[in-house]
């Protein structure tokens, strides 16, 4: 039965485009000139570990630091360095005494840089190790600038980062740092001024590569290895090091023995964490991978592919047509995340798919694409039309049908359900919703998306063209590897599906862990987590990786669109595909994942059930109010069992499983689980105790992560329950649970719109977000502030502070100097900021305006209670019945496309960026093509003509009515009735006479 879509929204939609250089230079197959560049020298056995301690003000200038220089595990030298301008004579005496007692070398900063950092560490190719290295490098620098390196130097990879001058000696290179993510940065030495190659070497064409160095940030390496975020303290606890980080808080106090001990201990703790993390990295068996190049889990995934000898697709098939790349990118959307039952407490069972992305990769045999020399494509229009016409739910229980889904389809949507990317909320931020779509422009989707539409609407989309993709011949020279260096985890890429093998291995290790003795569980858990990383890191993200390169000037790129002819666009933000960029894999994977959720949705509704939300690989299935609990459980289990037939692995299980959160923490038995969902990725799952009070089982931190905790765990509200440790993971902390407890409690009490936001005194404190000057653009916040200050007193790169915003209820949002006479200049908004301080009251006391440097009254700032005023009613704008105060079931919109907006890489943390005011780089926007621009202009012109025609029609009707009244009642009577003078009425009738 075909479903009738709702009233239409006329909106532009955003479509991913492929943008690259205007002209492509392909390698010459006949060019056999050997590569004469010498290989990069590996790191030596030497290691420099250092850490800095700084002032507690906005500049965070260096006071002193500690270091160790080691050969292997043997300590060669340990010491303290200090900035003579950053300490008092009394503090210097303290440093001298401490160094003497503990056998440490005391150096001034300049000597440490020249004699240790460069003359030893740089010269000996030592690894330079720290925790949060970008900050420490910035503290020991004497000057910085923007990294604007020529393309010939490093391909422009560091452009958009910083370059730091550490030494006054011209022979020593600068250090360049480019922020990559919240836990990773690319760090390298710049080229030195001297000639690297002798005259003889130059004559023979030999090139010595620039010595970039070997910088290892332990925060980055550990985060990639264990797939979580760490502070040095939490990492010490996680790795159980012998000498963990010490506690110390009073960094504004004079230097004392306790502070020095703290700084020296940080270096030792960093060293011990580094050794354990490096040993864990070595166990992975990735011989050609360098730990300094491991930035994330994706880096490990790439290293596994490289270890197997798998060449990047774009290297093997560089002449792949751009118009096909455009169609592939146009069909790409991310995971599906939606709220179905909004702001109503409902009993649910949370079910999620077993390793969704690796599973669909296995079902679709996508490993064959990974190891292929290239891809081929052919017309499959007739076959695809036939398949789509006859396919039903039962067909998709056959694994064979999934192999036939490597198809992209061109359709002209007509009330079909597809992923629709547009600015639903009219806030200049695109989001994706699975909605009804109609368009006069043809669009490209995956075949999986077309099947989704058929299952959810009851009708098949009309296919105009379909392209089937198939893998080419297998790449030569592939090599077998042992995952995690374990011979039991042997994978031969020629014979084994890597995705399938890794998931099977992980399942085995998880079973061993669950039945192991307590002493062995931790090691097995780390092992299964490493396998999880290997699977996830190779099954999605790397295939669609695009890195943004910011250039000093705008230049032309050719934008290839799936909806029209290519066009030229001027931009200073260029997209560079990642090493293993293969967007066909990315779009097929995410399309198949959306189909899995659509099947689940259809099975749920066919079973007479509801669903509260879905999120990429999970769905919260909701119990209808009139259904008994036992019947609900039985029907959910039937939905889960439907997927048994799709299990591609060599172990018995459904690929859809009932999550652990559905089971009691005490008994392990199934117990009623409830859900309160607000908007996409914002929900809480909870049980109810005997007093009908909520016990949190899982809460979302989405939309809260940019805020610093208003209070710590020790100061948490005593009247709120302490959440179970299973809830505090994946970025969720205690105050998030407390907030959701208040939201849920209000809903259960029958007043969901009035949530108590002042449940803790700290909620009335100014809301603060962590700011870090991670890019030149962000550092420009302090251009005015820094202009009149010495370098030591300036806010510098990678300094971290606290950012605030002014209350919407406060009218004194500007700083005006009352002493000046005459017409006041236009006042600027207050831009409050303060040095980093965990104590909210202390932080508020040090507030100043980041442009003027003048103090700011904390009374004008937005409090936590104000910042969270609408969190519990956050709209789900992409659906109907999703406005602030709406409750109940949301409904899909019907979008009619007015025109196409072409975009590049989408921001993945836009809420945090928006909170900090980083709106300029939220999304790479290529605008509209000339064809679309002409269409938009034509539509606007037609709309104006239609509007004017309607106005003329209404005017003519009004005049005709007036003439009838005049003929019937006379001129004076009619004029008196409508409230005008007779002469005015006469002139009006005469001007409009034919």
């Amino acid at each position: 039965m075909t479903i009738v879509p709702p009233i239409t929204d006329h909106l532009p939609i955003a479509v991913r485009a492929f943008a690259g250089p205007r002209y492509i230079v392909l390698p010459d197959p006949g060019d056999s000139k050997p590569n004469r560049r010498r290989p990069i020298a590996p790191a030596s056995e030497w290691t420099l570990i250092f850490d800095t301690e700084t002032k507690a003000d906005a500049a965070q200038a260096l006071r002193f630091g500690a270091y160790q220089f080691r050969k292997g595990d043997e300590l060669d030298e340990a010491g303290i360095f200090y900035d003579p301008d950053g300490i008092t004579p009394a503090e210097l005496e303290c440093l001298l005494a401490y160094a003497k007692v503990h056998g440490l070398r005391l150096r001034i900063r300049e000597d440490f840089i020249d004699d240790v950092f460069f003359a030893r560490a740089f010269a000996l190719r030592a690894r330079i190790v720290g925790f949060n290295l970008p900050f420490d490098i910035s503290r020991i620098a004497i000057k910085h600038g923007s990294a604007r390196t020529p393309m010939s130097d490093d391909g422009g990879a560091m452009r958009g980062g910083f370059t730091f001058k550490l030494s006054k000696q011209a022979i020593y290179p600068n250090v360049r740092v480019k922020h990559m993510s919240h836990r990773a940065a690319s760090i390298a030495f710049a080229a030195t001024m001297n000639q690297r190659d002798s005259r003889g070497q130059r004559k023979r064409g030999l090139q010595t590569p620039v010595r970039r160095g070997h910088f290892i940030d332990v925060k980055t390496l550990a985060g990639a290895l264990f797939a979580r975020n760490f502070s040095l303290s939490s990492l010490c606890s996680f790795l159980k090091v012998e000498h963990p980080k010490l506690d110390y808080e009073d960094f504004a106090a004079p230097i004392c023995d306790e502070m020095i001990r703290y700084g020296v201990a940080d270096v030792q703790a960093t060293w011990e964490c580094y050794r354990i993390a490096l040993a864990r990295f070595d166990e992975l068996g990735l011989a050609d991978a360098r730990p300094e190049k491991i930035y994330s889990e994706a880096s490990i995934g790439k290293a596994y592919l490289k270890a197997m000898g798998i060449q990047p697709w774009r290297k093997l098939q560089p002449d792949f047509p751009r118009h096909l790349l455009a169609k592939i990118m146009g069909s790409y959307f991310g995971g599906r995340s939606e709220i179905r039952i909004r702001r109503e407490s409902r009993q649910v069972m949370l079910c999620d798919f077993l390793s969704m992305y690796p599973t669909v990769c296995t079902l679709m045999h996508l490993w064959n694409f990974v190891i292929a020399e290239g891809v081929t494509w052919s017309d499959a229009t007739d076959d695809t039309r036939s398949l789509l016409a006859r396919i039903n739910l039962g067909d998709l229980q056959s694994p064979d049908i999934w192999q036939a889904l490597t198809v992209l389809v061109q359709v002209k949507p007509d009330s079909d359900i597809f992923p629709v990317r547009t600015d639903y909320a009219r806030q200049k931020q695109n989001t994706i919703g699975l909605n009804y779509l109609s368009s006069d422009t043809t669009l490209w989707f995956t075949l999986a998306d077309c099947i989704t539409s058929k299952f959810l609407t009851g009708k098949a989309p009309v296919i105009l063209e379909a392209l089937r993709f198939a893998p080419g011949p297998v790449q030569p020279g592939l090599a077998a590897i042992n995952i995690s260096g374990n011979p039991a985890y042997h994978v031969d890429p020629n014979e084994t599906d890597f995705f399938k093998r890794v998931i099977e291995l992980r399942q085995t290790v998880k079973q061993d862990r669950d039945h192991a003795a307590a002493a062995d569980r931790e090691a097995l858990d780390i092992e299964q987590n490493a396998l999880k990383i290997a699977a996830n890191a190779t099954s999605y993200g790397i295939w669609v990786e695009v890195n943004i390169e910011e250039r000093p000037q705008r230049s032309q790129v050719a934008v290839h669109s799936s909806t029209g002819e290519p066009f030229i666009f001027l931009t200073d933000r260029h997209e560079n595909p990642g090493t293993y960029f293969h967007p066909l894999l990315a779009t097929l994977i995410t399309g198949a994942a959306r189909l899995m959720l659509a099947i689940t949705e259809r099975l749920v509704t066919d079973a007479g059930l509801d669903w509260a939300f879905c999120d990429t690989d999970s769905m919260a299935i909701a119990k209808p109010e009139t259904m008994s609990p036992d019947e609900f459980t039985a029907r959910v289990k039937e939905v889960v069992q439907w997927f048994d037939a799709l299990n591609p692995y060599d172990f018995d299980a459904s690929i859809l499983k009932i999550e652990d959160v559905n089971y009691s923490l005490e008994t392990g038995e199934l117990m009623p689980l409830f859900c309160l969902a607000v908007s996409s990725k914002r929900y809480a799952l909870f049980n109810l105790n005997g007093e009908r009070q909520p016990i949190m089982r899982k809460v979302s931190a989405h939309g809260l992560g940019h805020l610093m905790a208003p209070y710590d765990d020790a100061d948490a509200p005593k009247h709120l329950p302490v959440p179970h440790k299973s809830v505090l993971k994946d970025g969720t902390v205690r105050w998030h649970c407390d907030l959701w407890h208040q939201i849920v409690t209000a809903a259960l009490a029958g007043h969901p719109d009035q949530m108590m936001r002042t449940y803790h005194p700290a909620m009335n404190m100014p809301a603060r977000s962590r700011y870090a000057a991670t890019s030149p653009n962000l550092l420009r916040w302090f251009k005015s502030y820094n202009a009149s200050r010495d370098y030591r007193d300036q806010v510098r790169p990678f300094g971290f502070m606290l950012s605030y915003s002014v209350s919407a209820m406060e009218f004194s949002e500007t700083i005006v100097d009352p002493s000046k006479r005459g017409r006041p200049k236009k006042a600027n908004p207050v831009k409050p900021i303060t040095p980093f301080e965990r104590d909210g009251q202390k932080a508020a006391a040090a507030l100043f305006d980041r442009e003027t440097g003048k103090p700011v009254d904390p009374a004008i700032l937005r409090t936590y209670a104000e910042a969270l005023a609408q969190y519990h009613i956050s709209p789900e704008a992409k659906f109907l019945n999703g406005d602030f105060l709406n409750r109940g079931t949301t409904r899909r919109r019907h979008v009619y496309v007015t025109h196409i907006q072409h975009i590049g890489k989408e921001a993945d943390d836009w809420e945090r960026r928006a909170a900090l005011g980083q709106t300029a780089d939220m999304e790479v926007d290529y605008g509209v093509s000339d064809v679309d621009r002409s269409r938009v202009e034509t539509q606007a012109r037609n709309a104006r003509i239609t509007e004017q025609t309607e106005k003329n029609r209404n005017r003519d009707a009004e005049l005709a009515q007036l003439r009838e009244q005049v003929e019937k009642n006379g001129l004076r009577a009619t004029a008196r009735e409508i409230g005008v003078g007779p002469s005015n009425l006469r002139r009006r009738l005469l001007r409009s006479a034919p």
Side-chain angles (χ1 to χ4, degrees):
M1 179 178 177
T2 302
I3 301 173
V4 179
I7 298 172
T8 305
D9 292 318
H10 289 75
L11 294 169
I13 65 169
V15 174
R16 285 288 294 265
F18 178 78
R22 188 172 182 180
Y23 303 105
I24 306 177
V25 179
L26 296 177
D28 184 356
D31 185 4
S32 59
K33 183 178 179 180
N35 182 6
R36 305 288 288 175
R37 183 179 290 274
R38 291 181 173 184
I40 296 173
S44 68
E45 57 186 332
W46 292 92
T47 306
L48 171 64
I49 314 100
F50 79 100
D51 183 58
T52 62
E53 303 303 331
T54 68
K55 295 185 71 175
D57 59 7
Q60 294 178 301
L62 176 68
R63 302 177 79 183
F64 72 94
Y67 69 94
Q68 293 180 5
F69 194 65
R70 291 177 174 268
K71 186 177 184 180
D73 289 337
E74 182 181 345
L75 180 63
D76 182 79
E77 179 182 319
I80 300 170
F81 58 92
Y82 66 93
D83 187 338
D85 295 330
I87 62 173
T88 66
E91 290 174 328
L92 178 57
E93 288 295 325
C94 186
L95 287 170
L96 283 164
Y98 189 95
K100 184 176 181 179
V101 169
H102 294 86
L104 302 174
R105 182 77 176 266
L106 185 64
R107 298 175 179 268
I108 63 171
R109 187 213 67 86
E110 187 174 352
D111 289 346
F112 167 71
I113 293 298
D114 291 345
D115 298 342
V116 180
F117 194 92
F118 284 116
R120 302 197 71 189
F122 175 70
L124 294 173
R125 304 193 320 278
R127 284 175 173 156
I128 299 175
V129 175
F131 196 94
N132 194 16
L133 264 180
F135 176 82
D136 292 315
I137 290 171
S138 177
R139 299 312 105 177
I140 60 175
I142 57 176
K143 186 179 180 181
H144 75 267
S146 297
R148 293 177 178 146
T149 55
M151 294 294 288
S152 59
D153 186 6
D154 61 1
M158 300 299 282
R159 189 178 285 114
F162 294 100
T163 182
F164 295 99
K165 182 177 180 62
L166 272 60
S167 174
K168 296 178 181 178
Q169 305 294 325
I171 60 171
Y172 293 136
N174 289 350
V175 177
R176 297 183 303 189
V177 183
K178 183 176 181 179
H179 174 80
M180 300 172 68
S181 71
H182 65 282
R183 70 182 185 204
S186 177
I187 310 175
F189 286 114
T192 55
M193 296 179 64
N194 60 305
Q195 176 59 253
R196 296 192 302 273
D197 304 313
S198 67
R199 182 179 300 176
Q201 290 172 330
R202 294 196 298 274
K203 285 183 177 180
R204 295 196 305 273
L206 294 173
Q207 294 181 2
T208 302
V210 175
R211 184 180 294 180
R212 298 299 182 191
H214 308 275
F215 294 89
I216 297 180
D217 194 328
V218 180
K219 176 182 179 181
T220 302
L221 181 60
L225 289 172
F226 304 111
R228 63 180 70 181
N229 298 321
F230 292 104
S231 64
L232 181 55
S233 178
S234 66
L235 182 59
C236 288
S237 176
F238 179 76
L239 297 179
K240 295 180 172 58
V241 300
E242 183 179 357
H243 300 95
K245 181 179 176 67
L246 301 178
D247 291 328
Y248 188 78
E249 295 293 338
D250 195 5
F251 294 101
I255 294 174
C256 60
D257 282 3
E258 187 179 1
M259 185 187 295
I260 302 170
R261 187 180 303 111
Y262 169 86
V264 171
D266 266 10
V267 174
Q268 180 64 27
T270 300
W271 162 252
E272 293 181 16
C273 290
Y274 163 70
R275 291 301 296 160
I276 296 173
L278 187 64
R280 177 62 196 148
F281 174 76
D282 290 340
E283 289 173 1
L284 298 181
L286 302 170
D288 294 333
R290 294 185 290 158
E292 60 265 35
K293 294 298 182 182
I294 300 299
Y295 301 117
S296 64
E297 299 91 314
S299 299
I300 295 176
K302 295 175 192 176
Y304 274 122
L305 296 179
K306 185 177 180 181
M308 287 183 277
I310 295 172
Q311 297 292 313
W313 166 68
R314 296 185 77 238
K315 180 179 179 180
L316 296 170
Q317 203 171 9
D319 56 346
F320 189 83
R322 283 191 172 191
H323 72 276
L324 281 185
L325 265 178
K327 293 173 182 176
I328 292 169
M329 291 302 295
S331 69
Y332 171 73
F333 300 86
R336 177 183 167 192
S337 179
E338 299 175 359
I339 296 298
R340 177 71 167 175
I341 301 174
R342 185 168 184 274
R343 302 183 62 234
E344 286 186 352
S345 175
R346 294 288 294 274
Q347 183 177 339
V348 300
M349 290 185 73
L350 181 66
C351 300
D352 76 349
F353 283 90
L354 172 67
S355 301
M356 172 74 94
Y357 288 153
T359 295
V360 297
C361 284
T362 303
L363 283 169
M364 300 171 74
H365 289 198
L366 295 186
W367 184 247
N368 295 333
F369 285 84
V370 176
I371 62 174
E373 285 189 314
V375 299
T376 62
W377 58 94
S378 58
D379 182 82
T381 306
D382 292 338
D383 289 346
T384 303
R385 285 171 178 164
S386 176
L387 172 65
L388 191 58
R390 70 174 186 272
I391 198 167
N392 57 46
L393 273 176
D395 294 331
L396 285 168
Q397 282 186 298
S398 168
D400 293 340
I401 200 70
W402 290 82
Q403 298 176 45
L405 299 186
T406 58
V407 176
L408 297 186
V409 178
Q410 185 187 39
V411 298
K412 191 173 184 180
D414 181 14
S415 302
D416 302 300
I417 290 181
F418 283 119
V420 183
R421 183 191 289 111
T422 188
D423 182 13
Y424 293 100
R426 277 73 166 179
Q427 294 181 346
K428 297 182 179 180
Q429 177 59 45
N430 290 321
T431 54
I432 300 171
L434 199 66
N435 278 311
Y436 292 96
L437 181 65
S438 295
S439 173
D440 293 332
T441 303
T442 59
L443 299 167
W444 285 84
F445 295 95
T446 66
L447 174 55
D449 285 315
C450 290
I451 296 172
T452 291
S453 180
K454 179 180 179 180
F455 286 171
L456 298 182
T457 65
K459 72 181 186 71
V462 176
I463 294 175
L464 304 180
E465 182 184 358
L467 293 175
R468 181 176 302 283
F469 292 86
V474 175
Q475 300 178 24
L478 299 182
I481 62 167
N482 296 325
I483 302 174
S484 297
N486 190 336
Y489 304 160
H490 188 74
V491 175
D492 184 343
N494 292 288
E495 301 174 357
T496 307
D497 186 315
F498 179 84
F499 304 123
K500 179 175 183 290
R501 175 67 172 155
V502 173
I503 295 303
E504 291 172 347
L505 290 172
R506 184 187 177 215
Q507 189 72 8
T508 300
V509 175
K510 287 175 67 178
Q511 291 174 352
D512 292 343
R513 176 202 62 187
D514 294 342
H515 296 91
D520 299 326
R521 285 178 192 163
E522 184 174 339
L524 289 170
D525 192 57
I526 291 175
E527 205 165 310
Q528 70 84 21
N529 191 56
L531 292 167
K532 176 183 178 181
I533 292 171
N536 292 340
T538 53
S539 62
Y540 170 50
I542 60 175
W543 311 122
V544 75
E545 179 188 5
V546 174
N547 301 307
I548 305 300
E549 176 193 336
E550 297 183 10
R551 298 190 177 181
Q553 294 180 336
R554 294 196 303 168
S555 58
Q556 291 183 340
V557 294
V559 180
H560 292 259
S561 163
S562 61
T563 61
E565 295 298 316
F567 59 95
I568 302 302
F569 188 81
L570 278 174
T571 181
D572 59 356
R573 306 184 69 226
H574 289 235
E575 295 186 283
N576 294 324
T579 304
Y580 283 96
F581 181 74
H582 199 331
L584 176 64
L585 293 178
T587 194
L588 293 176
I589 291 165
T590 52
R594 290 191 296 272
L595 177 56
M596 284 288 188
L597 286 178
I599 293 170
T600 309
E601 179 182 345
R602 175 68 183 273
L603 291 171
V604 164
T605 54
D606 287 353
L609 305 173
D610 294 331
W611 57 280
F613 69 84
C614 65
D615 190 2
T616 307
D617 63 351
S618 62
M619 182 171 285
I621 303 174
K623 183 181 82 69
E625 297 291 347
T626 57
M627 185 177 289
S628 71
D630 289 343
E631 180 67 16
F632 173 54
T633 300
R635 294 194 187 188
V636 171
K637 288 182 176 179
E638 289 176 2
V639 172
V640 169
Q641 290 165 1
W642 187 95
F643 290 92
D644 287 352
L646 281 179
N647 179 5
Y649 305 115
D650 292 337
F651 55 82
D652 293 331
S654 172
I655 62 170
L656 182 66
K657 53 188 175 61
I658 298 173
E659 262 289 356
D660 292 344
V661 73
N662 296 281
Y663 297 89
S664 168
L665 291 169
E666 288 76 26
T667 66
E669 300 292 328
L670 273 175
M671 71 177 301
L673 181 71
F674 297 87
C675 172
L676 183 69
V678 176
S679 59
S680 296
K681 297 183 181 294
R682 296 187 184 186
Y683 58 85
L685 298 171
F686 55 94
N687 303 131
L688 293 175
N689 63 17
E691 289 75 37
R692 302 290 294 174
Q693 296 299 308
I695 305 298
M696 294 298 149
R697 297 299 305 275
K698 183 176 182 179
V699 304
S700 166
H702 191 75
L704 301 173
H706 65 282
L707 291 172
M708 292 286 292
Y711 50 84
D712 58 30
D713 290 1
D715 190 35
K718 305 301 182 187
H719 65 284
L720 296 180
V722 177
H724 190 267
K725 63 181 180 179
S726 63
V727 184
L728 303 177
K729 60 182 181 180
D730 301 328
T732 300
V733 294
R734 169 66 193 267
W735 83 272
H736 300 153
C737 296
D738 294 342
L739 176 67
W740 274 105
H741 192 280
Q742 296 299 109
I743 295 172
V744 171
T745 299
L748 295 176
H751 48 85
D753 300 342
Q754 289 81 41
M755 183 265 294
M756 172 65 72
R757 289 177 284 118
T758 55
Y759 59 90
H760 189 285
M763 302 302 285
N764 290 318
M765 292 292 294
R768 56 197 192 276
S769 300
R770 184 162 178 156
Y771 156 90
T774 54
S775 70
N777 285 337
L778 274 173
L779 188 60
R780 289 190 192 104
W781 274 24
F782 292 91
K783 184 177 180 180
S784 299
Y785 178 88
N786 285 339
S788 60
R789 287 173 167 81
D790 293 335
Y791 187 72
R792 179 177 171 79
D793 298 323
Q794 293 177 6
V795 174
R796 281 181 272 168
F798 300 104
F800 48 93
M801 304 177 73
L802 297 176
S803 175
Y804 298 77
S805 59
V806 176
S807 171
M809 303 298 293
E810 178 59 51
F811 294 100
S812 301
E813 295 189 11
T814 57
I815 296 176
V816 180
D817 188 349
S819 64
K820 293 185 178 180
R821 297 182 177 181
R823 183 176 180 180
K825 295 181 179 179
K826 183 177 180 181
N828 294 319
V830 174
K831 297 174 181 177
I833 204 158
T834 189
F836 185 83
E837 169 60 62
R838 296 191 182 279
D839 187 305
Q841 290 185 333
K842 290 181 180 179
L847 278 163
F848 65 93
D849 181 78
R850 60 179 164 87
E851 290 194 346
T852 67
K854 295 180 179 181
V856 173
D857 183 359
I860 72 169
L861 300 182
R862 185 172 64 163
T863 65
Y864 279 94
E866 291 174 316
L868 299 170
Q870 295 182 338
Y871 186 81
H872 63 301
I873 55 173
S874 302
E876 182 79 332
K878 56 192 175 187
F879 298 124
L880 298 173
N881 199 41
D883 209 351
F884 288 97
L885 298 180
N886 291 153
R887 298 175 61 197
T889 303
T890 61
R891 303 189 307 279
R892 291 189 168 101
R893 293 185 180 275
H894 183 195
V895 175
Y896 185 88
V897 179
T898 59
H899 61 278
I900 307 295
Q901 173 194 10
H902 301 94
I903 63 168
K905 182 177 181 177
E906 299 156 277
D908 56 2
D909 60 346
W910 66 270
E911 285 192 316
R912 181 187 64 83
R913 296 189 187 191
L916 291 177
Q918 296 174 259
T919 56
D921 61 346
M922 299 289 273
E923 196 170 73
V924 179
D925 187 353
Y926 297 115
V928 298
S929 66
D930 291 339
V931 173
D932 267 338
R933 186 175 293 107
S934 176
R935 182 186 300 116
V936 172
E937 291 172 353
T938 300
Q939 289 173 342
R941 185 167 55 253
N942 290 341
R944 289 195 298 270
I945 292 172
T946 301
E947 182 181 4
Q948 188 60 48
T949 301
E950 185 64 23
K951 286 182 179 178
N952 292 342
R953 185 181 297 112
N954 292 338
R955 183 197 61 191
D956 293 343
E958 181 184 350
L959 289 171
Q961 186 177 6
L962 279 175
R963 290 192 182 93
E964 289 181 6
Q965 286 184 267
V966 170
E967 291 177 1
K968 180 179 179 181
N969 302 324
L971 182 67
R972 290 183 177 277
T974 303
R976 188 166 51 250
E977 184 178 343
I978 64 175
V980 299
S983 57
N984 287 338
L985 179 56
R986 184 183 296 107
R987 283 195 297 270
R988 183 175 178 183
L989 293 174
L990 288 173
R991 281 199 304 268
S992 61

